[in-house]
Every structure is written in C-alpha cells, then in structure tokens.
Amino acid sequence: MTQDASVPDPAVPGPAPSAGSPFRSARSGRDEAPQFVLPLVVRIERAAPPARTDALETAARAVLVMLSDERSQGDGEWARAVRDWEDARIRKVVRRARGAEWRRARELPGITVTGKAAEVRVFPPVPLDGWPRELARLQVSGTELDDPEPPAAEDPGAPVLWLNPGVEMSAGKAMAQAGHGAQLAWWELSGEERAAWRDAGFPLAVRTAGPARWQRLLAGGLPVVRDAGFTEIAPGPTVVAEGGSHVCPLRPGHRP
C-alpha cells in the first residue's frame, strides 16, 4: 500500500454547488488561481504505527481544528493563506514522519491533533511549489497502515464520514479524502452548529459503507466528496458526510 496524498485531491461537492461555495463549477477561476495545499504530517514510528481508522479520524479532526482556529479567521495570521487555499482547488497532502523528522515538523507553526494513538500535525496552507524544507523532504510513500481490530461501532450522536466501498485507497489518500469530507461538513453548518461541534471536540467517525448504504447516502442530498481522479483512483465520489443526531446535524440542502 502506498501512502500518497501528495498530488491534487480536489473535492467537488454534489451536483449543484451554491454560488458562495469555494467549490464552483468543474472549470472556473479556481483552476487559474494560485494553487495552495494544506500540509498534514502523520507520526508513524516503526515500532508503533497508528491504526488506519485512528489515523483517518485524526486527520479529519485536524482539518476541522485548522479551519476553526482563530488564527485562520478574520485578521488572523493564517487567514489569508486559508482564503487563498479555499479560492483555488482544495488540496491536501499527507506525509509521514518519525523520530527527528517529527521533532523538526513540530517546530514549525501548526497544530498537533491526537487520536487514540495517532498524532497528526496540520500546518497553514502553503503554495503548491513553496513547501517548507522540513516538510518537503518528508516521505509520502512506503507506509502501510491497517486496523489490527475492527473499528468500534460509530456513535449515533456523532457525524460519520462514509468511504466509498468500491474504491481502494492508500492510507494517505484516504486521510486526505476524510479531511475533505470533514471540510464539506463544516461548510454545511451554521455558526452556532460549528461552535457546538468544536466545543464537543469534533467527535466523528470514518467508516466504509456497505454497497446498499452507499447508494442511499449518495441519493440523500448530503455533502459528497468527488475526487477529480488526478492520482491513484478514477474520478468519482469517495466520501459522504452524514451528520449525527446531537452534533453536526447535516441536513440535505441546508446552507448556512
């Protein structure tokens, strides 16, 4: 398995994005705008790699933590970079680090998010060809992650990011796609709903849907990540974000 999400992972929501959505029509100004990428680094020590699902869920929460951080909003120090990133194609890159590499990555401005055992550090967006040297030299391939035990049943009160059962993805690609799904869910919510989700610690689950459930989810009017197919997989839907009953109540057709 190759952990590779270093190439474009653009996500386009369902068939008719709203006029104010950063995801506009399939070919628009976002393609001509300067391209930025959101770097994520997952810590993978040789002796104790994280479980795959734990890494996916931690990456999704890391994206939400970055989006909700006060430095990413208003006149915050990361706000301009976030706006520039959202005005172009939404790209996320997952790289791995261990030992001294991880320690160097932690010295750069960013936020470390922890899961059950996984650690993911998210950094403010950078130009596609302007990575900090400490991150640019980290590996994006050669890592295998799996689940030693089946993931626990998801909390019915928390959102679930459902993966397409017909698409095989490397760990890095799946982490980026889960991050896309979390981002679409965030955009669907009102300010009050976002605050409630943030205050709860961004509970969520990442699971693979069964074929029948996947078809129902696609038809349900919920946020859908549609990969452009630039790398690893063919173009098409990869993730559907389904809201929980208590936090992040995603409603079909709802826009903040």
Side-chain angles (χ1 to χ4, degrees):
M1 181 190 305
T2 301
Q3 183 197 27
D4 185 355
S6 63
V7 275
D9 279 315
V12 181
S18 63
S21 171
F23 289 133
R24 293 179 285 277
S25 61
R27 189 74 188 174
S28 68
R30 65 189 172 89
D31 296 288
E32 283 70 45
Q35 299 295 301
F36 286 75
V37 61
L38 185 77
L40 297 107
V41 175
V42 56
R43 183 182 185 182
I44 303 181
E45 301 291 346
R46 293 183 188 275
R52 180 185 175 97
T53 296
D54 188 16
L56 267 59
E57 292 174 348
T58 305
R61 279 193 292 269
V63 172
L64 295 167
V65 169
M66 171 59 67
L67 291 172
S68 63
D69 193 279
E70 61 182 9
R71 289 167 289 185
S72 299
Q73 302 174 10
D75 296 325
E77 60 185 290
W78 299 340
R80 176 62 183 272
V82 170
R83 287 194 297 269
D84 289 344
W85 170 59
E86 291 183 335
D87 281 344
R89 284 193 175 272
I90 304 300
R91 302 170 186 246
K92 299 177 180 70
V93 175
V94 178
R95 296 177 183 256
R96 63 177 173 86
R98 61 171 62 99
E101 296 173 332
W102 176 253
R103 291 191 291 273
R104 285 193 293 268
R106 284 182 59 94
E107 293 174 357
L108 298 177
I111 307 168
T112 298
V113 178
T114 58
K116 295 175 182 175
E119 293 180 74
V120 174
R121 188 162 180 85
V122 60
F123 303 87
V126 299
L128 192 59
D129 57 356
W131 281 68
R133 182 180 59 182
E134 295 86 349
L135 300 183
R137 59 189 179 188
L138 296 177
Q139 295 294 314
V140 297
S141 62
T143 297
E144 294 186 2
L145 295 177
D146 56 22
D147 286 311
E149 300 179 358
E154 60 275 7
D155 179 352
V160 181
L161 305 175
W162 293 103
L163 302 178
N164 186 336
V167 176
E168 292 187 10
M169 292 183 280
S170 66
K173 181 78 171 182
M175 289 172 70
Q177 297 297 307
H180 290 330
Q183 189 167 1
L184 292 191
W186 176 256
W187 281 336
E188 288 287 315
L189 302 178
S190 67
E192 183 179 349
E193 290 165 340
R194 290 178 179 182
W197 199 15
R198 179 199 62 218
D199 293 345
F202 292 122
L204 57 82
V206 179
R207 298 290 186 270
T208 299
R213 168 172 270 181
W214 178 251
Q215 293 304 317
R216 291 196 300 271
L217 289 165
L218 285 179
L222 295 166
V224 180
V225 176
R226 299 184 185 277
D227 191 77
F230 291 164
T231 63
E232 192 172 320
I233 62 175
T238 55
V239 180
V240 173
E242 183 180 36
S245 59
H246 304 308
V247 293
C248 191
L250 304 181
R251 295 179 293 278
H254 171 66
R255 290 291 184 272

